């Protein structure tokens, strides 16, 4: 006899509706990772398969959109199959299919969206379009089972730097954002200038451990009238000017000192903005998300600052900070139980805003 498990509704100890026995197959292809995952009830990861194209893009010093789309097309079938296989499940037992539909590279997003639509249509499953940044934020639910909104969240990745008030599941208020470069982009550009290669974040993080963060005084930008906005292009220029100045004077730069001083300037600004928001909005909990959230100096500084304020601090494990589909499965679950469904006309939206549908 077939074993049928029905979805069940109940409330958790905070009085929120939760649904059990929901398995989401999630797909992510917004940038240079082709990823698929199976996530149960928003917080339990049954599989998380990531096929990274980093080695390919390293040859060009950054992500080449056309190459990214082509590689996604080559990989997507097997990545999805592996995710189902590793989870020990099949499409028939999946409740819904979630997919990132923005923001990101349009050609890259389209591969995931088209694949998810085809799978959902063929298997008669609901389709749920997920916002990439919402996915990054929801990565925190996986590693921190007790975490529930409201909380403040700093989303720092290669493409985004947002300070967000997470009011409730699926309900966000953007308090501040970058005016120019994203934090991860600044890491990548500075790493290239220092001669560390792509992707720069993890390399700067590593070499900075051997450097003096107070060796060089780099600027910390403040924006008049927008206390939660960020700007990293001035800092990046200051580092480039410093390097050029040293070259002209025929002085060999100390890579570790430049990396540590640059990193400290970024971390100081991020933590300062986060703590100002804690004071103003009275957050009792704060989280970080996105690729840069795995930076060791940022984590250490946030742990210290949060302890001083007496608030809880949450962060995902490094594999859930950079792009992955498990985070899309977590976000997809909360969208699904809120009744959100996408139509067959779901399209890639390269500059989709958080909170927009
Ligand atoms: O979230 P993610 O995978 O992609 C986007 O959605 O943009 O973030 C990638 C970014 C890259 O810029 C990378 O250099 C940065 O995250 N990153 C780091 C670290 N690990 C990754 N930046 C600083 N320190 C790290 N340990
Ligand atoms: Zn991302």
């Amino acid at each position: 006899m077939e074993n049928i498990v029905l979805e069940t509704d109940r409330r958790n100890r905070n009085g929120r509706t939760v649904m059990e026995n929901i398995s989401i197959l999630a797909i992510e292809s917004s940038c240079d990772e082709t990823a698929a995952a199976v996530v149960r009830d928003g917080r339990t990861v049954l599989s998380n398969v990531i096929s990274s194209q980093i080695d390919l893009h390293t040859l060009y010093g950054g992500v080449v959109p056309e190459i990214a789309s082509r590689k996604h097309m080559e990989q997507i079938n097997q990545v999805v199959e592996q995710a189902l296989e590793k989870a020990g499940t099949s499409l028939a037992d999946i409740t819904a299919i979630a997919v990132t539909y923005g923001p990101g590279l349009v050609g890259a997003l389209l591969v995931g969206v088209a694949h998810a639509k085809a799978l959902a249509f063929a298997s008669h499953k609901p389709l749920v379009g997920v916002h990439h940044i919402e996915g990054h934020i929801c990565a925190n639910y996986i590693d921190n089972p007790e975490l529930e909104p409201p909380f403040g969240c700093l989303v720092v990745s290669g493409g985004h730097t947002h300070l967000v008030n997470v009011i409730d599941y699926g309900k966000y208020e953007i308090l501040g954002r970058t005016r120019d470069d994203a934090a991860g982009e600044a890491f990548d550009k500075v790493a290239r200038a220092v001669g560390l290669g792509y992707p720069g974040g993890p390399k700067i993080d590593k070499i900075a451990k051997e450097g003096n963060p107070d060796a060089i005084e780099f600027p910390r930008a403040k924006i008049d009238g927008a206390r939660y906005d960020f700007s990293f292009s001035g800092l990046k220029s200051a580092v480039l000017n410093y390097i050029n100045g040293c070259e002209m004077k025929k002085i060999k730069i100390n890579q570790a000192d430049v990396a540590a001083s640059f990193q400290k300037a970024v971390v100081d600004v991020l933590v300062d903005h986060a703590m100002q928001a804690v004071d103003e909005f009275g957050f009792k909990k704060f989280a970080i998300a996105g690729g840069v959230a795995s930076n060791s100096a940022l984590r250490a500084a946030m742990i210290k600052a949060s302890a001083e304020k007496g608030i809880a601090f949450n962060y995902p494990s490094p594999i859930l900070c950079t792009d992955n589909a498990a985070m899309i499965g977590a976000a997809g679950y909360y969208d699904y139980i809120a009744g959100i469904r996408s139509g067959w006309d779901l399209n890639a939206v390269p500059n989709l805003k958080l909170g927009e549908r």
Side-chain angles (χ1 to χ4, degrees), residues 247-263:
E247 274 170 9
M248 274 161 66
K249 288 184 225 146
K250 306 241 179 300
I251 302 168
K252 196 173 177 309
I253 61 157
N254 181 325
Q255 271 187 329
D257 281 354
V258 177
S261 303
F262 158 77
Q263 181 172 269

Side-chain angles (χ1 to χ4, degrees), residues 16-181:
R16 281 199 166 90
T17 301
V18 290
M19 281 174 95
E20 290 176 328
N21 300 316
I22 306 285
S23 290
I24 304 280
L25 168 64
I27 297 176
E28 153 67 42
S29 69
S30 66
C31 191
D32 59 346
E33 262 94 28
T34 321
V38 178
V39 178
R40 201 161 183 78
D41 300 337
R43 305 216 177 207
T44 308
V45 178
L46 302 185
S47 65
N48 187 23
V49 179
I50 305 167
S51 167
S52 176
Q53 309 173 357
I54 276 187
D55 291 348
L56 205 61
H57 297 289
T58 299
L59 298 172
Y60 305 93
V63 178
V64 183
E66 287 77 8
I67 297 180
S69 320
R70 202 172 321 145
K71 214 58 204 156
H72 285 311
M73 291 213 297
E74 278 171 37
Q75 293 295 315
I76 194 124
N77 247 319
Q78 40 192 328
V79 166
V80 169
E81 269 167 28
Q82 264 185 44
L84 288 169
E85 197 180 302
K86 285 199 173 159
T89 189
S90 67
L91 202 49
D93 294 321
I94 293 292
T95 316
I97 297 171
V99 63
T100 307
Y101 73 110
L105 302 170
V106 66
L109 287 164
L110 271 173
V111 177
V113 168
H115 198 82
K117 280 205 268 191
L119 283 179
F121 187 78
S123 61
H124 308 286
K125 304 284 176 184
L127 177 70
V128 182
V130 172
H131 192 290
H132 183 76
I133 310 255
E134 180 170 22
H136 274 301
I137 295 170
C138 292
N140 277 287
Y141 299 138
I142 297 169
D143 280 334
N144 304 285
E146 301 298 315
L147 179 65
E148 292 214 80
F151 59 90
C153 189
L154 187 63
V155 186
V156 271
S157 71
H160 316 278
T161 305
H162 282 34
L163 185 57
V164 183
N165 176 4
V166 183
I167 301 163
D168 204 342
Y169 293 108
K171 217 169 160 200
Y172 306 95
E173 178 191 6
I174 297 175
L175 305 177
R177 68 181 85 222
T178 183
R179 295 288 181 98
D180 38 57
D181 291 349

Side-chain angles (χ1 to χ4, degrees), residues 302-320:
M302 283 297 298
I303 289 170
K304 186 164 172 278
S306 302
E308 281 166 12
K309 296 259 180 230
I311 61 164
F313 174 58
N314 299 271
Y315 48 92
S317 53
I319 193 70
L320 296 175

Side-chain angles (χ1 to χ4, degrees), residues 30-33 132 136 156-160 183-188 198-205 263 290-296 321-324 327:
S30 66
C31 191
D32 59 346
E33 262 94 28
H132 183 76
H136 274 301
V156 271
S157 71
H160 316 278
E185 200 179 345
F187 268 93
D188 294 336
Y198 174 86
K203 293 190 170 122
I204 292 209
D205 193 350
Q263 181 172 269
V292 183
S294 55
N295 182 269
S296 58
C321 284
T322 42
D323 288 350
N324 65 87
M327 68 185 198

